[in-house]
Amino acid sequence: MKWYQLTKEAILSTLQTTDKGIQDIERQQRLEANGFNKIEEKQALKPWQKFLKHFTDLLMIVLLFASILKMITGDYVESAIIFLVVIINGLVGYWQERKAQDSLDGLKQMMGQEAVVLSDGVKATIPNETVVVGDIVSLNAGDVVPADLRLIDVHDLIIEESILTGESEPVEKHAHLIEAESAIGDQTNMAFSGTLVQSGSALGIVVATGSNTEIGKINQALQSIQQQTTPLVKKMNDLNQQLFKGIMVLIVFLIFFSTFKYGMDFNLLFSAMIALIVAMVPEGLPAVLTMILSAGVKEMAEEQAIIKSMPSVETLGSMTVICSDKTGTLTKNEMTVVDVIEAEKHSGHLFDIMNNCQELKLDDKQTIDDLQGNPTELALLHYVEKAGLTLKTVKAKIPFNSSYKYMATVHPYGQQDIIYVKGAPEVLMSLANLDKRNLSDWQQKVVELAQKGQRVLGFAYKEVDPQADIRHDMLTDLTFAGLAGIIDPPKESAIQAVEACQQAGISVKMITGDHKETAKAIGEQIGLTHTAEVLEGLAIDLMSDDALREAVKHVDVFARTTPEHKLRIVTALQSNGEIVGMTGDGVNDAPALKKADIGIAMGIKGSEVSKQAADMVLADDNFQTISKAVKEGRRIFDNLKKTINFFIPTALAQGFVVIFALLMNRPLPLSPVQILWVNMVTTIALSYALGFEKASADTMNRPPRPTNEGILSAYSLFRIFYVSLLIMIPSYFLSSQYDGVLVQQTVLLQSIVFAQAVYMINCRELLNPSINKAMFQNRALFISLGILTLLQLGLQFSPLAHTLIGTAQLTLTQISAMLLNALIIFIIVEVEKMITKMITVSKT
């Protein structure tokens, strides 16, 4: 129902109420029929449900299956170790997913605790929850509006609606019918739940309560939006499925091969299946990814970007579009005088009018920081502050009212009094002594300022007899003093950040509740690409989803938008395959923040609801921090790819060793515990260093990676395959040269670890030489190699390690042979990289 388009009488009739309010008995009946005036809460998952969810991953299920098989065969120690690995990975997943989802609580806090209503014409204070549709609510300065109201009796009412519209300017309200189709920001005969009465008083009819209010609709949108799966999680799920399919194919092959060649030996099959599963599943990868993402979170925190969900770190680097709110994000959220045009003949009066025709500053001892209230008056006072003017005595005044659109004050002026007037330029010009030429000139100047998106104020004055009482009819034959253009200007840092994002191939779109002209002007100033066309909320309402999907491709500025519009815009962009970042600071931004692939809230001026709905909070409210975070996100993803490319060849090499042993009818070369030592201990110690590699020089000069690009490219698969053979064949051959199962297993294990160590260095650069200046800037690399050395020395000399892992002490000759083998692997990979780079360059 469009209540703003109905008369008072029509609303009272529709809601079956009177202008004297509702009786308590009727209120109770309506409460029983329609429910309390509170936001409904969606049932959340219990902590244990969230924890168990992390054991539904395919590879974790495979490991649990392997643990059960080990238990069936009586190998309880190995079964317990495998099960412990699964539990650790589950705990890591649960921990990294934990983040506050308290948007509902934040919205509840926006609603007041009590309301003043009419009951049989008498005012009564009742709990906010018991307000019902049809109640007549009384509003006064300082009140939080308890429900959505259609105003019926208004006295100079001004309401702060930024939590809904995102705009800092308070709204003057009235009770007149509005015939035209209007967005929320233009429904000036309505008061919305959760907004703050800044001044004045009013009576209003309750037309919506609880979840049916505008703030309730925001809550419904928040509760209905599913948490977005980050690109990294999607790609890791795809990788897990590929590994799972590969493991299943190899297991089926081994079952048939072993059955036909050696007969159905269940112990052999169980041992082979378990060894293959443990070898091929990169158990340590989740832990390593978590450590790298955690380090990224810490790095971003130092850059004033607080990450609430670790996978979101990588999502930042994947972004293709950033949708930004205007007020407080791209702009300063402070109304500022940016243009002043002063009448030459009346120089000096303009500043005096700005300084004195106001209601905020009452004493010269007060500074701007001491003042709160109307943003327009604050902007004017801030503009004239440097002039060092003193306040004049106020003898009388006419307060501003939207019906006559001006304010006037009277002050002593020598032997006379002087009236200072500020207000709508067209009104003051009609009251001024301007000839046709001057009037036309000033009107043209107003148009020019308005086209810049500025709110234009006019200023005038008149000398009068000190005995005269100020009246509206006295305000004629005014002397026009000038104009001031006021706007919430863009931040310099935002202009630089937009340019940096565009250079990185990320398009920036501005979505605001402000007017079309202002939005267009700010869009041009910050350097958006497509500003010729501005799409307004009412036009979006008339568009189908398909039409909107096309429109968002070539429109960068969206004006007079509601929370629903923002949500539709984000959804349309995602339907086009974009990875969408959404910034905002108001309650109205919360649904879109939650829907976006990465929601970014403002930490200083942002509402609690927007912070809770977002994935990242900018502690400094600086849009430029986003471009820094994008660079960090891209660096982290590059390092994650290096880590995965390093991890998989070792797992594949161990799998090949197991398969080769079975094909040759030889004993399993490594036990599951030894394989876990490689996968969970040495591999983690090494791969952690790759997470600290610096960003490459072209990080912010390349476009975002394609959304359909997998973690493993064709070249990565080629390298993984041949490196796994490089690790497996020489290591297996070297181990077979010695007598004794323990010695053979130890040589094979240590040879694989040494090969891992050099290949980790290979993985520092995709195609460039790995040993370079940047290598020596990565302290973590040398720490990792040091930790690995200590671990392997313990494995070499510790009797306890020999017992637990099943290893033996090796000779210096055996260790030297393994080191030589590792060096050969390093050289082969570096030569291959050089050849591949030459081929790639020649093709381009």
Side-chain angles (χ1 to χ4, degrees):
M1 184 76 73
K2 297 175 181 176
W3 301 104
Y4 61 90
Q5 293 182 327
L6 299 180
T7 62
K8 169 185 172 181
E9 292 72 24
I11 296 171
L12 291 173
S13 174
T14 302
L15 299 180
Q16 298 180 347
T17 188
T18 70
D19 55 10
K20 293 185 178 181
I22 290 177
Q23 295 181 351
D24 292 340
I25 296 175
E26 175 67 17
R27 178 176 294 105
Q28 188 61 39
Q29 291 173 347
R30 296 194 181 196
L31 283 174
E32 291 175 0
N34 303 315
F36 287 91
N37 179 32
K38 61 182 182 180
I39 293 175
E40 296 177 4
E41 185 172 359
K42 183 181 178 181
Q43 187 66 35
L45 284 176
K46 295 179 174 61
W48 65 267
Q49 291 174 316
K50 293 180 181 179
F51 177 68
L52 290 181
K53 184 178 66 174
H54 294 280
F55 296 94
T56 58
D57 179 86
L58 275 176
L59 297 186
M60 293 302 103
I61 292 172
V62 171
L63 282 178
L64 282 171
F65 177 69
S67 176
I68 293 169
L69 287 180
K70 268 295 176 186
M71 187 177 295
I72 292 172
T73 58
D75 293 329
Y76 299 114
V77 175
E78 292 188 355
S79 173
I81 291 173
I82 297 172
F83 184 72
L84 181 62
V85 168
V86 175
I87 293 297
I88 290 171
N89 278 321
L91 286 170
V92 167
Y94 174 70
W95 183 259
Q96 77 176 33
E97 191 188 55
R98 283 188 60 192
K99 71 172 185 176
Q101 291 294 341
D102 301 325
S103 305
L104 179 64
D105 294 335
L107 282 169
K108 286 179 178 177
Q109 293 169 11
M110 303 303 301
M111 304 181 74
Q113 301 301 313
E114 293 182 328
V116 177
V117 299
L118 297 186
S119 181
D120 282 335
V122 178
K123 289 185 178 181
T125 301
I126 63 172
N128 186 68
E129 287 187 351
T130 62
V131 170
V132 296
V133 171
D135 261 326
I136 306 297
V137 173
S138 173
L139 297 177
N140 288 285
D143 288 347
V144 174
V145 181
D148 283 2
L149 312 177
R150 169 62 162 88
L151 301 172
I152 57 174
D153 184 20
V154 174
H155 301 279
D156 299 325
L157 184 69
I158 297 178
I159 295 182
E160 170 63 60
E161 294 185 338
S162 62
I163 66 163
L164 282 178
T165 65
E167 301 311 313
S168 55
E169 272 288 293
V171 182
E172 295 176 48
K173 297 292 183 175
H174 60 78
H176 315 308
L177 179 140
I178 299 173
E179 295 182 355
E181 190 83 14
S182 301
I184 289 176
D186 296 321
Q187 294 174 19
T188 46
N189 60 5
M190 297 285 294
F192 299 104
S193 176
T195 58
L196 178 66
V197 178
Q198 196 175 85
S199 62
S201 62
L203 292 177
I205 309 170
V206 176
V207 295
T209 60
S211 295
N212 294 321
T213 62
E214 291 301 325
I215 203 168
K217 292 174 184 176
I218 292 176
N219 169 66
Q220 290 178 344
L222 277 171
Q223 300 302 309
S224 64
I225 295 168
Q226 296 295 320
Q227 193 68 38
Q228 297 297 304
T229 304
T230 66
L232 176 63
V233 172
K234 291 177 184 176
K235 289 177 173 62
M236 289 305 300
N237 288 339
D238 291 340
L239 180 62
N240 286 349
Q241 290 180 10
Q242 293 166 3
L243 289 173
F244 174 76
K245 291 174 183 177
I247 292 170
M248 290 301 103
V249 168
L250 289 175
I251 286 176
V252 171
F253 168 75
L254 286 178
I255 290 174
F256 279 101
F257 180 86
S258 300
T259 302
F260 282 115
K261 187 168 184 179
Y262 308 116
M264 184 62 73
D265 185 339
F266 285 105
N267 286 332
L268 177 65
L269 284 176
F270 279 163
S271 298
M273 288 170 59
I274 293 167
L276 187 61
I277 289 171
V278 175
M280 294 286 288
V281 175
E283 298 91 349
L285 189 55
V288 171
L289 295 184
T290 299
M291 286 190 290
I292 292 174
L293 291 172
S294 178
V297 169
K298 184 175 181 295
E299 290 282 338
M300 287 191 178
E302 293 175 357
E303 293 289 348
Q304 303 300 309
I306 311 302
I307 302 292
K308 294 169 62 180
S309 171
M310 281 194 278
S312 301
V313 176
E314 182 274 332
T315 309
L316 281 162
S318 308
M319 274 197 304
T320 57
V321 176
I322 298 177
C323 295
S324 178
D325 181 39
K326 176 184 73 68
T327 306
T329 307
L330 296 171
T331 63
K332 297 178 179 179
N333 196 19
E334 296 174 358
M335 299 305 292
T336 304
V337 177
V338 289
D339 279 315
V340 171
I341 303 174
E342 190 173 7
E344 293 181 6
K345 295 181 181 179
H346 311 289
S347 177
H349 281 292
L350 185 59
F351 273 36
D352 275 333
I353 301 172
M354 290 182 181
N355 193 50
N356 290 282
C357 190
Q358 47 85 23
E359 295 181 302
L360 292 185
K361 190 174 181 179
L362 306 176
D363 191 309
D364 283 323
K365 295 179 181 179
Q366 291 178 293
T367 66
I368 291 295
D369 295 334
D370 299 327
L371 305 178
Q372 290 183 342
N374 188 293
T376 299
E377 291 194 348
L378 281 172
L380 295 173
L381 289 170
H382 190 275
Y383 186 78
V384 300
E385 185 180 30
K386 293 180 181 178
L389 301 176
T390 57
L391 290 174
K392 297 181 183 296
T393 301
V394 180
K395 295 182 66 175
K397 67 180 176 181
I398 299 176
F400 180 87
N401 189 285
S402 57
S403 61
Y404 46 81
K405 297 183 179 180
Y406 59 74
M407 173 186 182
T409 53
V410 183
H411 311 273
Y413 189 69
Q415 301 300 314
Q416 298 279 90
D417 279 355
I418 191 167
I419 301 176
Y420 288 152
V421 189
K422 74 174 181 187
E426 64 275 13
V427 174
L428 267 61
M429 289 178 196
S430 69
L431 300 174
N433 51 9
L434 294 170
D435 57 37
K436 288 185 178 180
R437 180 178 176 182
N438 284 330
L439 177 62
S440 177
D441 287 345
W442 282 114
Q443 288 174 335
Q444 180 59 36
K445 289 179 173 65
V446 170
V447 171
E448 290 171 0
L449 295 181
Q451 286 176 341
K452 295 180 183 179
Q454 298 175 15
R455 180 187 177 193
V456 187
L457 284 178
F459 302 89
Y461 66 94
K462 180 181 182 180
E463 295 183 21
V464 294
D465 188 290
Q467 306 301 321
D469 294 327
I470 187 169
R471 302 182 309 275
H472 289 287
D473 58 11
M474 291 178 61
L475 301 181
T476 57
D477 198 31
L478 301 178
T479 301
F480 197 75
L483 299 169
I486 301 174
I487 199 170
D488 181 11
K491 301 174 183 175
E492 286 298 323
S493 58
I495 297 173
Q496 297 167 7
V498 168
E499 183 180 1
C501 289
Q502 291 171 339
Q503 187 175 348
I506 303 169
S507 63
V508 180
K509 297 182 183 293
M510 185 176 73
I511 310 175
T512 177
D514 212 336
H515 291 279
K516 178 179 179 178
E517 293 77 14
T518 304
K520 182 176 182 180
I522 295 296
E524 291 172 347
Q525 291 175 37
I526 63 175
L528 297 186
T529 305
H530 306 291
T531 57
E533 181 182 358
V534 178
L535 195 58
E536 292 187 278
L538 292 176
I540 294 174
D541 287 333
L542 301 175
M543 285 183 167
S544 66
D545 290 341
D546 290 337
L548 185 58
R549 276 199 296 269
E550 286 301 311
V552 295
K553 294 178 181 178
H554 54 79
V555 174
D556 283 354
V557 181
F558 302 85
R560 298 316 264 173
T561 56
T562 65
E564 290 83 2
H565 296 142
K566 295 183 180 186
L567 195 57
R568 284 192 67 197
I569 292 166
V570 170
T571 303
L573 288 165
Q574 290 173 328
S575 299
N576 290 334
E578 307 283 3
I579 302 296
V580 182
M582 173 74 196
T583 74
D585 59 358
V587 174
N588 61 318
D589 299 317
L593 287 172
K594 189 174 179 182
K595 175 64 177 174
D597 296 285
I598 177 80
I600 306 166
M602 302 297 114
I604 299 173
K605 295 183 178 178
S607 67
E608 197 62 30
V609 179
S610 66
K611 294 176 192 175
Q612 291 162 356
D615 302 291
M616 181 175 90
V617 178
L618 301 183
D620 57 358
D621 281 16
N622 194 338
F623 190 85
Q624 192 172 31
T625 303
I626 298 176
S627 62
K628 295 178 183 177
V630 168
K631 181 177 182 180
E632 181 67 12
R634 291 186 176 188
R635 180 191 73 84
I636 288 170
F637 183 76
D638 289 344
N639 291 343
L640 289 175
K641 285 178 66 175
K642 294 173 185 177
T643 303
I644 293 167
N645 280 305
F646 161 70
F647 235 102
I648 295 179
T650 304
L652 193 57
Q654 293 174 108
F656 282 161
V657 168
V658 172
I659 294 168
F660 182 76
L662 289 172
L663 294 178
M664 295 294 103
N665 196 22
R666 294 183 180 180
L668 292 175
L670 292 174
S671 70
V673 172
Q674 290 169 339
I675 293 171
L676 284 173
W677 172 267
V678 175
N679 285 356
M680 286 296 292
V681 181
T682 61
T683 310
I684 290 177
L686 287 169
S687 56
Y688 185 60
L690 294 173
F692 288 89
E693 287 294 315
K694 302 293 184 183
S696 59
D698 68 336
T699 299
M700 290 300 283
N701 294 325
R702 63 180 189 239
R705 60 184 176 277
T707 54
N708 59 351
E709 178 184 286
I711 290 180
L712 299 177
S713 63
Y715 171 67
S716 295
L717 293 172
F718 161 71
R719 182 187 282 187
I720 286 169
F721 182 75
Y722 91 77
V723 170
S724 63
L725 292 179
L726 273 180
I727 295 173
M728 186 271 288
I729 295 173
S731 299
Y732 188 81
F733 175 78
L734 188 62
S735 67
S736 66
Q737 304 304 305
Y738 303 104
D739 297 326
V741 174
L742 284 182
V743 172
Q744 288 179 346
Q745 289 181 330
T746 306
V747 169
L748 180 57
L749 186 152
Q750 294 279 33
S751 184
I752 290 174
V753 171
F754 288 176
Q756 277 185 308
V758 297
Y759 184 59
M760 183 269 286
I761 299 174
N762 287 130
C763 288
R764 287 191 58 255
E765 298 282 353
L766 182 63
L767 294 178
N768 293 323
S770 298
I771 300 178
N772 52 28
K773 183 178 179 181
M775 174 179 170
F776 299 97
Q777 296 173 348
N778 186 352
R779 293 177 55 192
L781 185 143
F782 297 99
I783 293 172
S784 292
L785 291 174
I787 292 172
L788 178 72
T789 301
L790 293 175
L791 288 170
Q792 296 311 108
L793 285 174
L795 202 63
Q796 165 74 359
F797 297 110
S798 170
L800 179 62
H802 294 165
T803 302
L804 292 176
I805 310 299
T807 55
Q809 188 167 330
L810 302 179
T811 66
L812 183 60
T813 302
Q814 292 166 335
I815 294 174
S816 299
M818 291 184 292
L819 289 171
L820 179 61
N821 178 49
L823 179 60
I824 292 171
I825 291 173
F826 177 80
I827 293 171
I828 291 174
V829 174
E830 287 298 300
V831 171
E832 175 273 315
K833 285 163 57 177
M834 181 178 65
I835 295 171
T836 302
K837 185 177 181 179
M838 290 171 60
I839 295 172
T840 304
V841 171
S842 64
K843 286 183 179 180
T844 56

